[in-house]
Amino acid sequence: MALTGRTALLAALGSLPVGILAPSWTGMLAVNAPLSLAILCDYALAAPVRTLQFTRSGDTSVRLGETAEVQLTVTNPSRRRLRAHLRDAWPPSSWPTGTDQASSRHTLAVPAGERRRLTTFLRPTRRGDRRAERITVRSLGPLGLAARQGNHQVPWTVRVLPPFTSRKHLPSRLARLRELDGRTSVLTRGEGTEFDSLRAYVPGDDTRSIEWRATARQSAVAVRTWRPERDRHILVVLDTGRTSAGRVGDVPRLDASLDAALLLTALATRAGDRVDLLAYDRRIRAQVQGRSAGEVLSAMVNALALVEPALMETDARGLTAAVLASTPRRSLVVLLTGLDAAPVEEGLLPVLGRLTKRHTVLVASVADPHVEQMAHARGTVDAIYDAAAGAQAQASRLRTAEQLRRHGAVVVDATPDNLAPALADAYLALKSAGRL
């Protein structure tokens, strides 16, 4: 039995002797039998909690930063009217820090044999699965002096997906893709490009593109035009090791890498290329393979929602072996990792040649904008020291990037806001040059 605030108020006003607050209900009855009897009757007339029935419905997924609605239907099968306070508990990360989580607390009245629907609004602050915890119900008696209280477990899961904020860059990159792909035929050089059509020779065209057989059959000189290759294979590799856990601004580096991977996937599938995903540190954390163009983006979003950084050094040899095992044919391997000197020099560089020998490798990394701000700091002694530290950090990243380029990799190093469009631009440049 739970005493309500009304009972406590009566005690404070002197309506109940101090003995009513004694831990022994026998002593309570002996001190003030009439009022104690009223409390017991009020408790007995409260609707039972154990027999209540609950069902859930509503959103099963939501993008990070958006609001999800989860409905809870409460059915009262008893013969008594239910007057209750209900708390629908969820993990703390289901709401922004500092909020009162008021949407999870409800006051309801359900007549006998009827049902009511309650809505809880969630605004998660982290990716991953948010699972409903217990439902606590306090059923009040008609006088509001006592209440029955109990808990119920009603499972429900809301998957919090990556926000994909870089989607705003997709229209402009698709426009550039259309210029490269078919609607406006362009003349490109390089192995691996696909023949598009023949046209008349114009002064300034590369003479190596002249189609001599077609020229012999007609009076004008004909040249070949090309279009970027389609149906190429792209493997997006996410390094989920220790370096991906570092925070840049308000988010981990891994989250910025996820956003860039999603923009690249959306763009590449529109270009007719096939995209797979591999998330790895010392073992495979997520993998998406063999999905159609219409399914791969949603499959990747769902897989990446559960990926979290692992606080361990990435096994570069194991990562290389996993990449080579999953991509037997020549592909574009996009490795989203850090440019910290020690992990790259000791881990990635010794095995990078195995990848560049069989694949085109693009290494993308998240740069910290605060380092650039430090490098330009002036005015005080502390600012000068900050500038020296920032310049040293930038020089180290440049040296690491240059080492990767000497081993045959293309390198993209950009801040979180610029990484996704920069990676998309690098993909388009490789495609237009026929290097995929």
Side-chain angles (χ1 to χ4, degrees):
M1 178 187 297
L3 298 179
T4 66
R6 182 177 299 180
T7 307
L9 178 61
L10 291 174
L13 294 175
S15 298
L16 289 176
V18 177
I20 194 68
L21 302 178
S24 170
W25 283 97
T26 305
M28 182 186 299
L29 290 172
V31 173
N32 196 323
L35 190 53
S36 299
L37 183 60
I39 294 173
L40 291 174
C41 291
D42 197 44
Y43 173 78
L45 292 175
V49 174
R50 291 184 179 181
T51 58
L52 294 176
Q53 300 171 2
F54 299 89
T55 56
R56 290 192 185 273
S57 60
D59 295 331
T60 56
S61 64
V62 64
R63 291 196 180 276
L64 184 65
E66 298 180 358
T67 301
E69 298 183 13
V70 179
Q71 286 79 37
L72 178 68
T73 302
V74 184
T75 303
N76 178 19
S78 70
R79 298 181 180 180
R80 302 170 191 165
R81 179 183 179 85
L82 173 68
R83 297 170 57 250
H85 299 300
L86 182 147
R87 180 173 182 265
D88 187 8
W90 289 76
S93 59
S94 302
W95 294 274
T97 303
T99 61
D100 56 6
Q101 303 180 13
S103 70
S104 66
R105 301 176 185 275
H106 307 273
T107 299
L108 72 159
V110 186
E114 295 188 12
R115 66 185 64 181
R116 293 291 184 271
R117 177 176 293 178
L118 310 173
T119 301
T120 299
F121 296 93
L122 309 178
R123 191 177 177 83
T125 58
R126 294 176 56 190
R127 290 180 293 103
D129 287 344
R130 296 294 169 270
R131 293 181 173 85
E133 298 179 356
R134 63 184 181 182
I135 297 171
T136 302
V137 182
R138 176 172 288 189
S139 174
L140 303 173
L143 301 178
L145 300 176
R148 301 172 183 263
Q149 183 166 309
N151 301 317
H152 289 263
Q153 296 287 345
V154 185
W156 192 260
T157 301
V158 175
R159 176 157 294 184
V160 186
L161 307 174
F164 195 10
T165 55
S166 63
R167 186 193 289 107
K168 61 187 177 184
H169 299 291
L170 186 58
S172 61
R173 270 61 190 181
L174 288 175
R176 290 181 56 187
L177 178 65
R178 284 192 291 269
E179 294 178 0
L180 298 173
D181 187 34
R183 294 189 182 180
T184 304
S185 296
V186 294
L187 181 65
T188 61
R189 295 203 307 261
E191 295 182 359
T193 54
E194 293 181 352
F195 174 75
D196 184 56
S197 63
L198 295 174
R199 64 170 174 80
Y201 175 83
V202 175
D205 284 343
D206 191 337
T207 56
R208 290 175 295 181
S209 297
I210 295 176
E211 176 58 52
W212 296 107
R213 292 184 179 180
T215 301
R217 292 194 298 267
Q218 57 189 25
S219 59
V221 178
V223 295
R224 295 183 296 270
T225 61
W226 308 85
R227 64 180 180 183
E229 291 177 313
R230 303 179 66 87
D231 195 29
R232 302 297 93 186
H233 180 240
I234 300 171
L235 177 64
V236 178
V237 183
L238 282 170
D239 178 359
T240 57
R242 173 184 59 83
T243 58
S244 68
R247 300 187 72 85
V248 178
D250 295 331
V251 298
R253 279 187 168 90
L254 179 61
D255 284 28
S257 298
L258 298 185
D259 198 49
L262 293 178
L263 179 62
L264 176 62
T265 301
L267 180 60
T269 53
R270 298 287 186 90
D273 295 332
R274 295 178 295 106
V275 184
D276 291 338
L277 169 73
L278 178 68
Y280 191 95
D281 42 69
R282 289 186 176 272
R283 63 181 180 86
I284 296 175
R285 301 290 179 175
Q287 190 168 20
V288 176
Q289 281 187 314
R291 298 300 183 97
S292 66
E295 298 175 345
V296 63
L297 186 60
S298 61
M300 192 175 292
V301 166
N302 275 281
L304 293 178
L306 304 178
V307 174
E308 296 291 344
L311 300 182
M312 61 181 69
E313 204 68 54
T314 299
D315 178 10
R317 294 186 181 277
L319 185 148
T320 302
V323 169
L324 295 176
S326 60
T327 52
R329 57 176 291 190
R330 185 168 185 82
S331 307
L332 171 63
V333 176
V334 179
L335 174 58
L336 290 142
T337 186
L339 285 184
D340 301 282
V344 172
E345 293 174 0
E346 298 174 9
L348 181 59
L349 284 179
V351 298
L352 185 58
R354 296 177 57 193
L355 290 178
T356 56
K357 184 178 180 180
R358 291 178 52 181
H359 305 292
T360 301
V361 178
L362 193 162
V363 178
S365 181
V366 182
D368 191 344
H370 183 61
V371 174
E372 184 175 356
Q373 296 173 6
M374 291 173 57
H376 291 86
R378 298 293 186 274
T380 65
V381 174
D382 289 341
I384 296 300
Y385 279 108
D386 287 344
Q392 184 178 14
Q394 287 182 325
S396 176
R397 291 181 71 87
L398 288 174
R399 286 194 301 270
T400 303
E402 185 58 32
Q403 287 180 305
L404 292 171
R405 292 189 182 98
R406 285 200 299 266
H407 282 73
V410 179
V411 179
V412 174
D413 187 21
T415 59
D417 292 337
N418 297 324
L419 180 63
L423 181 58
D425 291 342
Y427 161 76
L428 291 173
L430 290 172
K431 195 172 186 65
S432 64
R435 294 184 57 188
L436 295 189

